[in-house]
Amino acid sequence: MQETTVFEAKNTNQKREIFIAEHIPFIVYTTSNILGRYLSVENDEEYSVALEAFNSAIDTYDANQSKFETYATTVIRNKLIDYHRTQKKHYGQEALNEDLIAPSTDDDLRMEIAELSETLKMFGMSFDDLVDASPSHKDSREKAIDVGVQASKIKTVITLLYMTLKLPVKEILQNVKTSRRFVYLHRQFILVIIVIFNENLSMLKEWILDVTSPQK
């Protein structure tokens, strides 16, 4: 998908309609994946919620923060969760997977995401890797976050990270209780967590810590 298509869809109704029509499969797939079940386009109200969310994502998308698909997925997920909370429907937390939802997209958050994206370019990565490389299992995700947070406090880890532009696995293993296999398996995700905490991106830090909080 060309980014210019997204921006053209912002400005003309005709191109917006075409853009949305072309992405119906994406909307259906994304919504089904979030719900953890097959989505009936004809019968499920969630489809209408997802369409509205996708339309909203077109208006609020900023190319500096992530790929459009990643941003649209986040907006759809948040809208569906809000809808289910309002309707008091219970599909279960794992089905809706509320754990990795970005905070509200206000100006401060946009600035932090843009700052993070700019920093990650040095490592050949982007903000999308935070979502794409996130461990699918909740326990593994929480463990990877904990490893990243601990590693971000170790001076030698930070020095080598920014010097070599690679995750210093050896130094992490010397200072954090974890396995080499686990670190290698989740190295991209752990790297992003380290950068977020080392750069002191407060809103993203709050979000990450909330992911691991026990009240979930």
Side-chain angles (χ1 to χ4, degrees):
M1 176 175 48
Q2 298 293 322
E3 286 186 354
T4 52
T5 304
V6 180
F7 298 125
E8 288 173 354
K10 288 175 178 283
N11 299 320
T12 66
N13 290 334
Q14 182 181 8
K15 291 191 176 182
R16 180 183 294 258
E17 290 175 4
I18 293 173
F19 184 77
I20 292 175
E22 289 175 344
H23 287 82
I24 293 300
F26 166 80
I27 295 170
V28 172
Y29 171 81
T30 299
T31 306
S32 296
N33 190 46
I34 292 169
L35 295 175
R37 61 175 176 82
Y38 172 76
L39 175 72
S40 172
V41 174
E42 293 81 9
N43 301 316
D44 282 335
E45 182 64 26
E46 287 88 348
Y47 177 65
S48 297
V49 174
L51 273 178
E52 181 180 349
F54 186 86
N55 187 54
S56 175
I58 294 173
D59 291 325
T60 58
Y61 175 62
D62 181 348
N64 290 324
Q65 60 187 30
S66 65
K67 294 185 296 185
F68 176 75
E69 294 93 332
T70 301
Y71 180 70
T73 297
T74 301
V75 175
I76 291 172
R77 188 190 306 276
N78 289 350
K79 292 291 186 183
L80 286 170
I81 289 173
D82 287 344
Y83 170 75
H84 278 236
R85 285 171 176 166
T86 300
Q87 298 298 315
K88 297 183 180 179
K89 293 182 179 179
H90 304 285
Y91 286 97
Q93 183 158 319
E94 287 302 317
L96 283 178
N97 193 12
E98 297 187 25
D99 288 335
L100 201 62
I101 304 169
S104 301
T105 53
D106 58 20
D107 290 340
D108 290 338
L109 177 63
R110 287 178 187 276
M111 291 178 63
E112 284 200 0
I113 292 177
E115 181 179 344
L116 175 63
S117 297
E118 191 64 28
T119 302
L120 290 177
K121 285 180 182 179
M122 297 190 304
F123 302 94
M125 299 174 64
S126 70
F127 177 75
D128 301 292
D129 292 308
L130 177 61
V131 177
D132 295 341
S134 171
S136 57
H137 194 277
K138 181 179 179 181
D139 289 344
S140 295
R141 185 163 58 250
E142 291 179 347
K143 181 179 178 180
I145 291 172
D146 183 58
V147 170
V149 172
Q150 290 188 59
S152 71
K153 301 175 183 177
I154 303 168
K155 186 175 181 180
T156 55
V157 169
I158 298 302
T159 300
L160 287 170
L161 177 67
Y162 284 84
M163 182 182 299
T164 65
L165 301 181
K166 294 180 181 180
L167 189 69
V169 176
K170 179 180 177 181
E171 283 67 24
I172 290 176
L173 293 174
Q174 289 175 344
N175 293 276
V176 180
K177 188 176 181 181
T178 185
S179 69
R180 180 178 297 272
R181 180 178 181 278
F182 183 85
V183 174
Y184 270 110
L185 186 62
H186 304 297
R187 58 189 179 277
Q188 284 187 309
F189 184 74
I190 291 172
L191 190 154
V192 179
I193 298 299
I194 293 174
V195 171
I196 288 174
F197 278 79
N198 181 66
E199 299 290 333
N200 197 27
L201 301 175
S202 58
M203 294 187 69
L204 289 172
K205 282 173 61 178
E206 182 178 353
W207 166 42
I208 292 297
L209 292 175
D210 188 55
V211 167
T212 59
S213 63
Q215 72 268 20
K216 298 277 185 188

